[in-house]
Each structure stands twice: as C-alpha cells, then as structure tokens.
Amino acid sequence: MIDTTAVLGYAWPMAVAPGETVSFHLSSETLAEAQLRVVRVRCADADPAGPGIRTTGPSSAIDGPIDLSHQPIHPGSCAVVADSAQLAGLGDFTFGCYLFPTLIGGRRQTIAARWNELRECGWKLELDEEAHLLLTIADGGRRWNVRAPKPLLEREWVLAAATVDLTGGTVAVHQASLARDGGRDRTGTATAAGPAAIAWPTATPLVLAAQGTGLDKPLRATSHHLNGKIDRPRLYAAALDAGRIGALVDALNPPNTDPALIAAWDFSRDIGGDTIRDLSGHRHDGILHQLPMRAATGANWDGRSNSWTEVPWQYGAIHFHDDDIADCGWKADRKLTVPADWPSGFYALELTAATGEGVSVESYVPFFVRAPRDRATAPLAVVASTATFLAYANSCLRLDQSHFEAMNEGLVLISGDDCYLSAHRELGLSTYDTHSDGSGVCYSSGARPILNMRPRGNTFNYVNDTHLLDWLEEQGIPYDIVTDEDIDREGARALKPYRVVITGSHPEYFSRPMLDAFETYQNAGGRHMYLGGNGFYWRIAFHPTAPGRIEVRRGITGTRTWEGEAGENTLSFTGEPSGLWRSNGRPPQRLVGVGFDAQVFDRSAAYRRLGDSFDPRVAFAFEGIGPDEAIGDFGLRLGGAAGLEIDRADATLGSPPNLMLLATADRIGAGGLPTTEEFRTTHRGLTGDQNARVRADIVFFETSQGGAVFATGSIAWCCALSHDGYDNNVSRLTGNVLRRFLDPRPFD
Amino acid sequence: MLENDPNAAHYPIDPDRLDLVEEFRRAPKGPHSDALQKVLHRMRWAGEPRRYVLIVIEPGRRWMLGRLPERRGGQIERLADHVFTDPADAEWEVFRRRWQAITGRVLPAERTV
Ligand SMILES: [Fe+2]
C-alpha cells in the first residue's frame, strides 16, 4: 500500500521560471525523515489501465534525505488591531456592532475581545454555547460575567453590544433585533455587578471575530473564531445606554470630533485588501488574517444594488469563518533555484519513506516550471489551469454533500487523500465546498498542501491534464508550460510567443484578463486547441497583489454546489461581477465555439463524424480516420472520449458563422444531465436519451490573421489519448490537428 | 439557502420487485431500466447516517467498504472484512444493505449465482 499523506507540503510560489527560486514548506506528523527527489511529471495518474505514474528526475541540488518536523495548521479568520495606549487604558467603555451569526450553538465564538486566554485577563464579548451574548471581564484572578437573557437567531441581524461601567460598578450586554416580526425579536439587556476598577492586560491586541490566546506563537495567536458577519464595530470610551449604542453603531460616519470615539471600523473601505480601516482618527486600523469574506452585505443592505462598488456603504460587513485558511505559514524546509537548462513542465518534490508493514510513503509537492521569461523554448504552450486547480483544491464534496453519490451514479470512491482530508479539515476547503456554517467558500489559496493537484491525486483536472503531457512526450512534441496566473498577470504577452496554445481537460475558471488574452491571441493569428469540457465557464479574479489566490462568487445559476447569497455576487478582489461568463455576455462558445451543456457521470460516449468533416479544408484533421469510424469509443474515463462534462456549439451563444461542426457525440443516454442554464422551465425529456442538446461537439474555425480554434468539448478526451499504445483515433485526430496548427501556413 | 435534502428522495420501493434486484445484481453499473433508476436514486440520494463509501486500497485493483464520519473532521471507518477486487461487488453489497434497511427483506450476500 502507498501512503500519500504521511508528509505534506506546498511550494511557493506555485510557478517559477528557470533561474528563479521556489521554496518548499513541508510537515509530517509521523516521519522524522524522508528521501527527497525533484521530478518532472509526465503522467500523474496511478490508474493501472493507463500509462501509470511516470516521472523523470532531472537530478537537483536538493535531492537526498530531508529532516521533517510537524507544522500544524490553525484555520479561522479574524481581524487583529495592534495594541495602543488608548485600548490598553480604557476605563468605562462600550463595544457595539451589528452581528449576523451563521452557526450558533454548541461552541463559544468570540465577537470582539482584548483578551489574554493564558492569563485569563481582559474583556471579551462572546456568543456562548447556547447562542447567548456573554460579556466577560477579568484581571487574572477575579472575573465578572453578564449574559443576555435570550439566545440569538441564526442568520438574523442583531445589534450586539457590551458596556463596562466602572464608575457605576456594572457590566452589561445589550441586543436589539433588526427584524422583530414573526417571533424574531430577541431584543433585551442584562446588567450585572462589575468592578470599580480593573487592571487590563498589557501588550494585548484587540481582536474581532476571535480572541487572543496569549501564546507567543503568531500562528496560534487566536482562538474561538466566529462564524458570522460583523458590520460597523465601534469602541467608545463611555458606558452608553441602549439608545446611544444604537445611534453609535448605526451611524455610517460617526463624528471623529468626539473624543470618546476610540475606534469606528468601516469594513467597506479597501474591500480588495487585507486591512480594516478605523474612522475615529486614532488609526486603530487592523489586519485581516486567513481571508474572511469581504464585500458582504451589511445590516443596512436594501437590495437597491447587488454591487459593493455602487453602494459601498451597504457593504460594511465581513463574513468570518472558523475554517478559513489562506496561508499555513509553514517555514521553508528547502529552497531550489531552478537551473537554466530544466525544460518547462509540471514538476514535483517526490518524498518517499519506508514505514514497514508493507506500507511505503510516496507523497508529492507540486510546482510548475514555466519557460524562461525572455523567450519560448517551443512553438507550443500547454496551459496549466492553475485557477481551476485552486478552485478545486482539497474538494470535500464527496465527504460532505449527499448529491455526490447520486451524481456519480455509484458508490463514492474515497482515496487515501480523502481519508486524510476527512480527519484534517484544517487543510482548508475548495470553492466547491461550504464552510462549517453552510456558506459557500469563495476564495482559494495555494499556500497550503493541495492533495488533488499532484501525482497520485484524485483523477480530475491536474491528473487528467497530465495525460495530455504524457501524450506529447510520447509524440516527442516539445512544449512550454504557461499558468493561468501568468496569463492573468501578463495578458496576451504570455501567449504571443507560441504558434499553438493548448488548454487541457477542464479550464473552467477564467478571469477577465485571461479571457481577453485568449481573444487577443486567437485574433492575432494564434491557434488554440481546447481539449476539454466545461471550459471558460466561471468568471473569477486572481488577487490583484497576493499571488496564488482566486475568488469566485457563484451567483444563482450554473452548475453550482452552493448558491451565492443575495447581493454577494460581486468579486471583492476587483469589484467585477462574478458568476457564469455566459451571464457576463461572453459565453464560451464565443471564444472556442462550444460551451458547457451537460454532466455525464455514468458512461462516456463516442463521437461520429458529421458532414463538415468531409470538407477538403479539414482533410488534414481526418487523415487515417475512416468516414464511419466511431471516434473515441474507448478511454480511461467511463469508456469513452465524450463524457464527464461536455460542451456543444450554439450560434445564439456565440459560435462563429464560419464554425465547422466536425463530429458530435449526441447519443449520451439517460445519465446525460443538462446544466440548469440550458433549459427555460423544467420539463420531462431533458436528459441525454431524449435531448440532442446534451452532447459533445468537435469543432474547427478560423479566427483572423491565420488564427484558428479546434475544440473537442469533453473532459474525458485527454484520458483517451493513450488507449491501445497511443495508436487510436483520438490520438490521431489530436495529432493531425496539432501538427497542422504548428505549421505556420495559412489554412485553405 | 440551496441545500441538499437527503429526505427528499421518497420514491416508494416495492419489496416484491425482485426483478429489479435481479437486474441490478446482473449489472450494477447499468444501464438500468427506468424503475431501477428510481430505486437507485432513492438509495443514493438518501444514503444512510454515516454513508457507505468505497475506499480505494490499490487504484484499479482493490477497494474496501467504508463509512463516512458522522461529523466533519471525523475519521472514515474502514470495514476491513469487506475488501473487493471488483467494484461491482461492492455496489451489490451496499445495494443489499440498503434494500434490507428500506424493505426489511434480506438479499443474498453473493452477487454471482
Ligand atoms: Fe468543473
């Protein structure tokens, strides 16, 4: 048996050019040492029916034994405000905010605190195990508590406040429901005896949505993370009554001329960044940790706009989660400067160890080597779909979502990686998953081990794409790797040096700069082969400055595993709308002739040739393929080349007038299930056995200046290339088109 | 919020339809008749508390029956005495457990006649 998780790691940055340095961050709970080897990945799929794991070792300076240590991960987002004389020296004070709890009961969650858990001193306002507001103040010996009489409701806005009145010798909590109809009213106040004076801790940051542990470990500085939204938190140097608390929190711009206003955070400022801004004039700005969701609707959101860019004052909330993770923060165990002569490709650290009892450890840490920055080394570029890899990173759907077995039409397959993920949720979620509070995960970061982006990983995306690399190596066709992030940052410049660019099995997530780059490339004579399905589908953004981070908001249509909340479908990174590209005026058909129509997870199908395939203009593509040959009635993914997720041409969605429909797989069967945006109302007859719009189309068209597009519209395509010793018609058609596309002669 | 409701699959399974059992037994991966598709959808969508899953021991060669944890963060239970060299046998094993749970009728453990 092979253990793929005894040691885990991530490379940073995810992609480098020769001459640049990549660092490797590793952790093992069980191993003290492993053997390390850098490998170039040819095939990452362990399936014995295919080529198997195939890597080559270029022999690197860091190959050899490596000592390992355990580096834990501490998920949970919060805002941390550095300590100040004012925060440390508070006498009477009030903290208030609007609160929208999203996971109540069963756990203590801190809303705001200046607290040191180790020494049990400071103050903290919490939601307790029964969802009651609870204020605690303590000085390391004595402790005072006050608890609200009524529990809060999940997903209902409430004004939540705490007052410490040393002058009056009381402490109090106050809550006021914004909606008071239908049994929702939880308004109430509780007051208890408090001290006349108290010594607050020194050198203690103020934390929102968590509390300080008091530990001298930056990664473990906080605990008791909140699940929910906080809007307009305020800190005021007086014990206010209920009416004045309401006015203080509600004011969008509390007057900074008021000397008692210690902090008034406006989360609608700098939404694209990691800083929270204080309006008080005291510069109590804070830093957000582990990427909580910004651009969240505030308590005052009234639906007049769905975009924070239009009504920013209605987006003064941040949604915190106890399972947010953006950066594990592990120390680097090794650094590698990539030698100038290493060919571009998918690379990985291979970590091996023997543990006895027939178990051997074989774990990979992936990274990508692109071409040198100043030149291409081949006329062909293969896109590493890193945005899609990130979107799917550590997907827990098969563990958490009951639709998976039904969608899969069979028992859920659980790999060793899935077993590990099940018990190690601190590795963080994919953008397919929902947080522990049920809300959708909209960010993903590469600064953590990603188990399904490496050799021996679950078969989708990364692993499937290596079947294309394997086939190119087999054909002896050299290629460079260009990552999605390169294209996002550099635009068409990243593609321009290449005569042909191939996008792989599932280039699903595209930012606007990426789509622009492809359009520009194709229309300037570039030739694009799209050998996948469900591509160019979701509109995402890469973080404008931080590398290796993407964001998607799923909205309310498309094949989606969660639905975006009303008003929360604008990207916080850029202010752009998210959702489907089809909903953003740029359906995939416009770029590559075909676009997503259906999922097929029971069995894959074959294509049959159509009339256009006999046109002499595309004779180059069908050399060696008979007129009645079924194309791709084989393959590693459910026995065919047309399957999993499939795309069709449609002129009304932008397929160009000169498109040639070469082949189609339109006999898909009852397991072909159309995506929601493909029908107007529900009705019978939608499935593939009755619906010819559930199909995969192979298309070709010329763009301009000698450019062209060839698309196969199916995720399963690349996994059929190696069938029968690479001697098959999927391989033949792909090879015919690629060789012709590499030939600079214009098309007839 | 958009949620998956395991209780939504409510197709009534007729305990006397042993023809559907036989159809499944012969071809666990299908293709299946309309009636059997409905039976399977009910079983797969509803699952059971701590859903049955198939743990890959050796890709493409050996699988073990398992159960998901009750809550996030838990371990997947491994049913070590249920190892399969053909996933179709695992499908049958879970089918018969679910058939029994729903209809109260016991089906034979062996898939092959
Ligand atoms: Fe996808």
Side-chain angles (χ1 to χ4, degrees), chain A residues 388 392 432 460-461 506 508-509 533-535 537-538 554 559 596 599 601 645 715:
Chain A
T388 298
Y392 277 87
Y432 284 78
F460 221 58
N461 302 325
H506 199 24
E508 181 177 358
Y509 290 81
N534 184 217
Y537 189 63
W538 291 105
R554 299 229 178 245
T559 293
F596 183 48
Q599 296 192 149
F601 285 110
E645 293 172 21
I715 288 183

Side-chain angles (χ1 to χ4, degrees), chain A residues 86 321 342 425 580 694:
Chain A
Q86 277 157 317
H321 305 92
W342 280 17
R425 304 306 287 262
L580 300 185
V694 170

Side-chain angles (χ1 to χ4, degrees), chain A residues 546-718:
Chain A
R549 283 184 187 181
I550 63 153
E551 178 181 16
V552 62
R553 302 287 178 119
R554 299 229 178 245
I556 55 160
T557 188
T559 293
R560 64 211 187 284
T561 51
W562 50 266
E563 189 165 85
E565 303 274 341
E568 295 185 350
N569 294 300
T570 298
L571 297 165
S572 65
F573 286 177
T574 59
E576 298 170 305
S578 190
L580 300 185
W581 271 114
R582 179 170 169 155
S583 310
N584 279 276
R586 298 171 80 174
Q589 281 90 343
R590 185 107 196 156
L591 182 76
V592 290
V594 295
F596 183 48
D597 61 80
Q599 296 192 149
V600 197
F601 285 110
D602 64 339
R603 55 183 35 78
S604 298
Y607 301 82
R608 62 190 166 84
R609 291 180 62 171
L610 297 175
D612 285 354
S613 77
F614 300 99
D615 189 311
R617 286 164 56 212
V618 289
F620 65 86
F622 289 90
E623 252 168 61
I625 299 172
D628 300 319
E629 246 183 73
I631 297 172
D633 53 345
F634 48 80
L636 294 169
R637 296 294 172 266
L638 305 171
L644 303 185
E645 293 172 21
I646 54 175
D647 301 352
R648 66 180 182 87
D650 189 329
T652 68
L653 292 172
S655 296
N658 66 349
L659 176 134
M660 298 175 77
L661 194 56
L662 306 180
T664 192
D666 61 353
R667 292 289 168 191
I668 293 295
L673 306 168
T675 183
T676 51
E677 66 275 18
E678 284 280 280
F679 47 86
R680 289 181 169 173
T681 69
T682 50
H683 52 78
R684 291 171 188 273
L686 288 169
T687 53
D689 50 342
Q690 304 177 72
N691 181 1
R693 288 198 153 195
V694 170
R695 66 170 196 266
D697 289 334
I698 298 180
V699 304
F700 167 81
F701 61 92
E702 292 176 58
T703 53
S704 68
Q705 301 186 55
V709 171
F710 173 79
T712 55
S714 157
I715 288 183
W717 182 267
C718 291

Side-chain angles (χ1 to χ4, degrees), chain A residues 405 411-412 414 422 434 438, chain B residues 1 51 54 56 72 74 91 98:
Chain A
E405 187 181 345
L411 285 171
V412 176
I414 297 289
S422 176
T434 47
Chain B
M1 289 168 77
R51 177 182 294 270
L54 200 51
V56 181
R72 280 188 186 202
E91 295 286 349
R98 288 175 175 166

Side-chain angles (χ1 to χ4, degrees), chain A residues 40-45 50-56 455 470 474 726:
Chain A
R40 184 165 182 264
V41 178
R42 170 172 167 164
C43 183
D45 189 353
I53 301 286
R54 298 178 83 172
T55 60
T56 50
D470 172 61
E474 186 69 23
Y726 305 88

